[in-house]
Amino acid sequence: MSSPRIRQKFEARRAEGKKVLIAYLTVGYPNLEVSYECALAALEAGADILELGVPFSDPTADGPVIAKASFEAIQSGGSLKAAIALGARLRKVRQEPMVLFSYYNPILSYGEAKAVSDWAEAGGDGLLLVDLPPEEGDSLRAQASARELSIIPLIAPTTDEARAKKILERGASGFIYYVSVAGVTGTGTAPLAEAGAHAAELERLSSIPAVVGFGIGSPEQARQAAGAGASGVVVGTALIRAVAAGDPSDAPRRVADLVRALRAAV
Amino acid sequence: MAQAGYFGQYGGRFVAETLVPALEELTRAYEEIVPTKEFQDEWRGLLASYVGRPTPVTRAHQLGALLTSRGAPGAEIWLKREDLCHTGAHKINNALGQVLLAKRLNKTRIIAETGAGQHGVATATACAVLGLPCEVYMGAVDVERQAPNVGRMKMLGARVIPVESGSRTLKDAMNEALRDWVTNVRTTHYCVGSAAGPHPYPSLVRDLQRVIGAEALEQFGQLDQKLPDAVVACVGGGSNAIGIFADFVPHTDVALYGVEAAGHGIETGHHAAPLNAGGVGVLHGSLTRIMQDENGQVLEAHSVSAGLDYPGVGPEHAYLQELGRATYLAVGDEAALNAALDLTRTEGIICALETAHAIAALTEVSERETKRLGRPPRILVCLSGRGDKDLVTYLDYLAKKEAK
């Protein structure tokens, strides 16, 4: 089972001839209140899906920008528990799909069953676990599916077609996250047109839409990936940079400005 | 083993998808290339002619007498002399094996993480002799406290990259190495130094280090055909320990003791003893025992020994502990420093600070074994490395002691 909200969002954008814009923000950066306001601002400015990043002490898949935000977020009280609470608060005022973006250890430590159940109760729609390839986490997948939470699969440029098929057969739901480049988040040199075309190919192999993430920060980059066939784009590092770029009280405005520009592009 | 890459519930492969194909390739190489005669001949040839294996076992008479005077009467202590390996520690066994393997996989660049610098030096050495470029990630704190090894790596032509993030020690060096690897995975082999990390590293590193225990078994066979009653080794990630344990595991009458770093003391929280005071968690690609807070954030470890200063441990040790096959003790900074002095002055061997933790545990091991056996035990200790790199720390400690 997967989240109906995610499916409906992709269908609605497709019907309008538009692409899905996914915004990533680290929960607790620069503090819990401002990260809530930034998330709200991103949705109000036109982001379709929100990825709530659970800060982790050892973010090995993240580049320096998100890694630094992650360390600071932990100091400010960011955690899985705080991310679920922030999601629940947003759900009272917004209807967009929300995905928890986390490393596996915070989930394991919280308890898989409790994490799934609390996130579902909070109004969450999916889980994206960076370091949980399809060979791991069977119990988490089963529990998520029972609560209609999508488990978003990641597919990388190093994944060959046979393996991509295997990943998609193992209960992928919601959407496919295609990583545009071998590397960490925030890279400036991703081949985005190629990635967009690859995402379109993956979409043909499966029954769910495919989006491109890593290396998309500007409207032009978003257009490249979307124009080449991706059903959506994920923007993370650029939003964290916007949060960091000045007084925290103005961070929501800076986030909204960037989201509006990206929204206009896709 | 229920599933490939698992030791009971521990192990696995918790990494970003980008790395999985490279780990699958390495697993195939581990299964299909490492066991071949051709690979084994080349690697063992280097171990013999270049590293200086087999390393001897040395009876430590005077250390035994010192333990006797401290209430552990009659214990017979033997040292497996990995300090006599070229580059001064067991790390070279694994580094040569992995760099040879990387060449078979047509990788053109090697990266490594290092804590004490011994694995960095070993990898830089293997790369120098086998002709590959080498970059080593090392926590900025460790760059400072293990300066001699930084100099050796530079001399060997490796690039040492100080890591400024997090606790600026081994854990953070491994994070940066993983970030490099995910970016350059097509051309680069990540030479992991410990029996930790995602599958196949814990098994691969164990099999490249099991030569330590295999030699010791043979050496006792030739000596008097009596096995030791106990085998003792220090445990950070745990590569020297798993290397000396592996061939003794089936000999169930031989007790196995790993020694973690208790730092300032387990009760202070400033330690590096996840097997003694950690919980189940995922760090650096494997499910094992780690030091973490209530939110699943990994804690900073503390040990005077850079090589043990790590909040995780190889998954097979977590499994051996759970089975009750091995016992894991913990020894604090000061006890380790004193043990290094004891060993130096009784046996004329300056050991590494990591190894000093194993030496410091000998009184306790001896007492436990005397109780178990009803007689004084024969104990084999893995003397995993020499202490040149730690001289500054030792001399500071000596000066402090003399000032008191």
Side-chain angles (χ1 to χ4, degrees):
Chain A
M1 288 297 285
S2 69
S3 153
R5 264 191 294 256
I6 292 178
R7 197 177 57 242
Q8 287 156 11
K9 182 58 86 176
F10 276 94
E11 283 167 2
R13 284 302 182 208
R14 187 165 295 146
E16 296 167 18
K18 287 183 158 290
K19 302 299 174 111
V20 166
L21 175 61
I22 303 175
Y24 165 95
L25 288 163
T26 303
V27 172
Y29 181 70
N31 58 57
L32 287 173
E33 191 54 31
V34 173
S35 67
Y36 170 78
E37 284 164 13
C38 288
L40 191 58
L43 293 174
E44 286 170 353
D48 294 311
I49 297 178
L50 187 65
E51 273 182 17
L52 288 175
V54 175
F56 182 51
S57 52
D58 295 83
T60 52
D62 285 301
V65 173
I66 291 180
K68 183 165 177 283
S70 204
F71 289 121
E72 294 185 27
I74 292 168
Q75 307 306 316
S76 307
S79 64
L80 176 59
K81 194 175 166 196
I84 292 171
L86 195 147
R89 201 175 150 199
L90 279 170
R91 182 53 78 227
K92 292 194 178 124
V93 291
R94 303 294 308 183
Q95 283 311 305
E96 289 84 353
M98 295 185 296
V99 173
L100 268 186
F101 182 103
S102 184
Y103 290 80
Y104 182 51
N105 199 54
I107 307 268
L108 183 65
S109 150
Y110 192 89
E112 287 183 348
K114 185 167 155 53
V116 163
S117 138
D118 288 0
W119 183 229
E121 296 296 322
D125 300 276
L127 290 165
L128 196 161
L129 298 164
V130 218
D131 55 353
L132 199 73
E135 290 81 4
E136 308 290 352
D138 285 351
S139 59
L140 180 65
R141 282 167 219 282
Q143 294 179 60
S145 169
R147 294 299 303 261
E148 295 198 1
L149 289 179
S150 294
I151 294 274
I152 313 298
L154 286 137
I155 292 184
T158 51
T159 313
D160 65 20
E161 191 176 319
R163 183 169 166 80
K165 280 184 179 153
K166 181 172 125 187
I167 292 173
L168 297 173
E169 280 159 13
R170 286 215 187 159
S173 66
F175 57 90
I176 299 162
Y177 189 125
Y178 181 68
V179 176
S180 65
V181 62
V184 291
T185 54
T187 175
T189 55
L192 293 171
E194 205 179 297
H198 201 96
E201 223 170 279
L202 288 170
E203 201 164 312
R204 279 193 290 276
L205 285 177
S206 73
S207 54
I208 50 175
V211 308
V212 171
F214 282 41
I216 298 177
S218 68
E220 178 49 34
Q221 287 166 327
R223 218 175 351 245
Q224 264 183 40
S231 284
V233 293
V234 187
V235 179
T237 299
L239 285 170
I240 298 299
R241 277 210 181 93
V243 173
D247 195 310
S249 62
D250 278 340
R253 185 191 51 77
R254 291 192 296 272
V255 165
D257 287 349
L258 179 56
V259 169
R260 267 191 295 271
L262 291 160
R263 176 73 281 163
V266 297
Chain B
M1 235 186 277
Q3 196 183 332
Y6 270 88
F7 308 91
Q9 66 162 317
Y10 301 107
R13 192 183 272 161
F14 296 84
V15 295
E17 170 61 23
T18 307
L19 293 179
V20 173
L23 290 168
E24 287 185 337
E25 179 190 37
L26 187 61
T27 302
R28 282 192 299 276
Y30 163 64
E31 288 166 354
E32 291 163 17
I33 298 177
V34 173
T36 61
K37 183 172 183 305
E38 198 190 343
F39 180 88
Q40 289 287 322
D41 284 352
E42 190 176 5
W43 175 57
R44 287 178 189 277
L46 281 170
L47 292 184
S49 68
Y50 184 73
V51 173
R53 303 205 74 92
T55 59
V57 288
T58 303
R59 172 88 190 262
H61 290 280
Q62 291 74 232
L63 183 65
L66 186 69
L67 293 179
T68 296
S69 76
R70 288 182 184 163
E76 183 187 319
I77 310 294
W78 290 82
L79 310 172
K80 177 64 176 162
R81 299 293 304 281
E82 293 301 295
D83 59 316
L84 296 178
C85 288
H86 176 46
T87 70
H90 69 290
K91 293 290 189 188
I92 190 76
N93 305 326
N94 167 54
L96 282 170
Q98 282 198 45
V99 175
L100 280 176
L101 202 55
K103 290 188 79 165
R104 303 291 176 101
L105 295 174
N106 297 316
K107 301 291 182 184
T108 55
R109 174 177 174 261
I110 302 288
I111 58 169
E113 86 296 336
T114 196
Q118 287 302 131
H119 174 59
V121 167
T123 307
T125 300
C127 286
V129 70
L130 297 171
L132 284 176
C134 176
E135 297 189 29
V136 180
Y137 289 92
M138 188 169 188
V141 168
D142 296 337
V143 167
E144 201 153 305
R145 64 177 161 172
Q146 305 278 224
N149 275 343
V150 176
R152 292 165 80 197
M153 285 184 268
K154 285 182 180 160
M155 179 80 188
L156 287 158
R159 184 167 155 240
V160 179
I161 305 165
V163 175
E164 298 284 353
S165 59
S167 54
R168 303 185 296 152
T169 58
L170 181 53
K171 167 176 91 97
D172 312 285
M174 203 154 173
N175 287 342
E176 275 314 305
L178 281 165
R179 290 185 183 114
D180 180 316
W181 200 34
V182 83
T183 308
N184 301 298
V185 62
R186 292 182 178 96
T187 58
T188 299
H189 174 71
Y190 178 14
C191 183
V192 172
S194 200
H199 178 60
Y201 285 107
S203 301
L204 173 64
V205 175
R206 176 200 60 214
D207 287 354
L208 293 171
Q209 292 292 4
R210 73 189 311 153
V211 61
I212 305 172
E215 278 177 11
L217 263 176
E218 200 181 319
Q219 286 160 329
F220 282 110
Q222 283 168 5
L223 180 76
D224 57 10
Q225 304 200 335
K226 263 172 51 197
L227 289 180
D229 300 302
V231 177
V232 184
C234 64
V235 176
S239 72
N240 90 88
I242 208 70
I244 199 165
F245 288 176
D247 280 19
F248 283 100
V249 166
H251 297 274
T252 49
D253 45 343
V254 178
L256 306 175
Y257 290 92
V259 185
E260 295 192 303
H264 294 322
I266 299 280
E267 69 290 349
T268 65
H270 299 286
H271 58 80
L275 290 171
N276 278 279
V280 174
V282 168
L283 177 63
H284 296 147
S286 73
L287 183 80
T288 180
R289 296 193 79 86
I290 66 173
M291 295 166 57
Q292 59 187 327
D293 71 9
E294 68 283 3
N295 292 315
Q297 309 296 355
V298 182
L299 296 171
E300 290 184 11
H302 169 81
S303 170
V304 67
S305 147
L308 304 185
D309 201 349
Y310 182 63
V313 64
E316 195 167 3
H317 287 295
Y319 181 55
L320 289 173
Q321 182 188 43
E322 193 170 278
L323 288 178
R325 179 65 190 90
T327 305
Y328 294 85
L329 310 173
V331 159
D333 289 349
E334 190 160 358
L337 286 160
N338 285 325
L341 287 179
D342 288 343
L343 181 72
T344 307
R345 290 172 180 195
T346 54
E347 301 295 337
I349 298 169
I350 301 176
C351 71
L353 258 170
E354 292 73 27
T355 315
H357 287 72
I359 303 292
L362 287 178
T363 311
E364 182 174 351
V365 170
S366 187
E367 283 167 0
R368 284 170 176 248
E369 288 299 293
T370 303
K371 213 164 156 191
R372 176 174 77 97
L373 302 161
R375 60 167 169 79
R378 168 185 270 187
I379 302 173
L380 172 67
V381 190
C382 189
L383 201 91
S384 54
R386 69 178 190 224
D388 312 42
K389 68 186 180 62
D390 297 311
L391 265 187
V392 172
T393 310
Y394 289 150
L395 292 175
D396 280 355
Y397 183 65
L398 263 182
K400 252 184 238 160
K401 267 187 103 146
E402 280 160 8
K404 267 181 194 167

